[in-house]
Amino acid sequence: MAKIVILTGSPHNPGTSKTLADAFEKDAREAGNEIYRFDAGLQGKDQPHFLQLEKTSGMEVAIPDDDVVETEVIPHLLRADVVVLVSSLYYFGMNAQLKAVVDRFYSYNHELKDKHSVVLVSAYSNQDDLAALKLHIENLQEYMRWPSLGDVYADDSWNAGKLKKHAQEAYEIGKNIR
């Protein structure tokens, strides 16, 4: 049994990246894995990841003491065997909500190294438009020493037939993690 953390970023519910995450989670859970899922894009304005410090010079930002990423997500990540990053393509990169969580890894780089990873990305465009995000993810995986257990770059996800095929790919990856 593996401990799996699924991090999603899309604010769309339902949405194409949620479809991929749900398919992966379904079979990973059925395979007996322990799953923790954090949907960063669905947190709303009552869960800011950073706070503007209004009474200080230089426009500093701080992490609130009760921040859900710090108090809940990071502890799950530290115990995880597998990290699953799920995003839709936004301007050739991952969406901001997921990026805000990934950027928080920095303080824990050493402790987060040597896990495994899965990447699930949905895009309304073609594979060529995914190239910059693929490079970013590959660099992140290499830097964190997170070998991939499988990645799905779901192009043309507006097409229900293609999305179903990509969701099946995500489901199969989840099924094989133990």
Side-chain angles (χ1 to χ4, degrees), residues 25 30-31 34 39-40 47-48 52 61 79 93 105 107 116 119 121 125-126 130 132 141 157 160 166 168 178:
E25 181 178 1
E30 288 171 1
E34 180 182 318
D39 296 302
Q47 288 291 337
Q52 182 69 43
V61 295
R79 291 188 300 271
F105 294 176
S107 296
H116 289 87
V119 175
V121 175
S125 56
N126 60 37
L130 288 160
Q141 288 170 319
S157 60
H166 293 304
Q168 182 62 36
R178 304 222 186 280

Side-chain angles (χ1 to χ4, degrees), residues 87-131:
S87 180
S88 41
L89 183 69
Y90 278 70
Y91 293 100
F92 310 100
M94 73 177 68
N95 56 38
Q97 295 88 339
L98 180 59
K99 183 74 165 80
V101 175
V102 169
D103 284 350
R104 299 283 292 284
F105 294 176
Y106 186 75
S107 296
Y108 301 93
N109 274 345
H110 182 70
E111 296 95 318
L112 290 173
K113 295 233 189 258
D114 299 318
K115 298 182 181 300
H116 289 87
S117 65
V118 173
V119 175
L120 307 172
V121 175
S122 67
Y124 272 38
S125 56
N126 60 37
Q127 287 291 320
D128 291 342
D129 292 340
L130 288 160

